[in-house]
Amino acid sequence: MTTAAPMMQQHFLNREESFMYDRETTFPMEDTRNEARIEYTEKGMTQLSSRRCEIIKLSKSGAVLGILTKYQLPQNFYLDIPSARIQMVGCLLKRVHANNIVEARFLRLLTDRDLNRIFVYSTHPNHRNRTLDIYR
């Protein structure tokens, strides 16, 4: 006798939260190439896992990441960008594409200072002449 897995109950707020993020203003994505790392917990709070990835596009409100998608990615995770010294940016998973590309939405907007710091350490040719402003 086979038993079916119990269906997860859909809560009415799940649709509201998704709708809320879809209605937020989106900022234009800019091409970049930065090494990054996503961190998330597995099995509740007992084990912190991390995976290396690459930031392909970036805006104040979200990012497009290149990462192997054959693993089960969590719905929420932290994004660390070690070269720019930006840690623990909370993210929500928006969409997973079959060609190892993931779209993520930030829980808070990145500041212009953080964006500039990320672009300074980018290896993309568009950001070759950017400099870090240390006086701000």
Side-chain angles (χ1 to χ4, degrees):
M1 180 176 179
T2 61
T3 58
M7 296 277 299
M8 289 183 55
Q9 289 187 350
Q10 290 290 330
H11 196 269
F12 72 97
L13 285 179
N14 290 344
R15 279 181 269 127
E16 294 290 327
E17 290 171 1
S18 173
F19 182 70
M20 177 183 68
Y21 282 106
D22 293 340
R23 291 287 303 263
E24 275 186 351
T25 58
T26 55
F27 294 92
M29 292 276 186
E30 193 168 344
D31 289 336
T32 185
R33 195 177 304 140
N34 290 77
E35 294 297 319
R37 180 177 57 238
I38 65 168
E39 293 182 347
Y40 55 94
T41 56
E42 286 182 335
K43 301 174 187 166
M45 297 293 284
T46 58
Q47 181 179 357
L48 184 69
S49 297
S50 67
R51 297 208 186 280
R52 293 175 61 181
C53 62
E54 183 178 22
I55 301 174
I56 299 170
K57 290 182 181 260
L58 185 70
S59 74
K60 283 185 171 188
S61 61
V64 176
L65 307 172
I67 188 170
L68 283 177
T69 56
K70 70 177 185 177
Y71 303 105
Q72 182 66 30
L73 294 172
Q75 289 298 312
N76 47 2
F77 54 88
Y78 293 110
L79 182 69
D80 286 341
I81 308 165
S83 61
R85 294 182 181 90
I86 297 174
Q87 299 175 346
M88 305 283 281
V89 178
C91 297
L92 289 174
L93 186 67
K94 278 181 61 176
R95 194 170 292 129
V96 177
H97 299 280
N99 58 349
N100 293 335
I101 291 184
V102 171
E103 293 180 32
R105 183 94 176 173
F106 298 144
L107 294 178
R108 65 174 172 86
L109 294 179
L110 290 180
T111 62
D112 290 330
R113 182 179 181 195
D114 287 344
L115 275 177
N116 189 35
R117 189 182 309 155
I118 292 169
F119 291 146
V120 163
Y121 292 104
S122 173
T123 58
H124 197 274
N126 291 351
H127 306 295
R128 185 174 297 141
N129 297 327
R130 291 231 186 182
T131 57
L132 191 60
D133 188 10
I134 60 173
Y135 297 111
R136 280 194 204 176

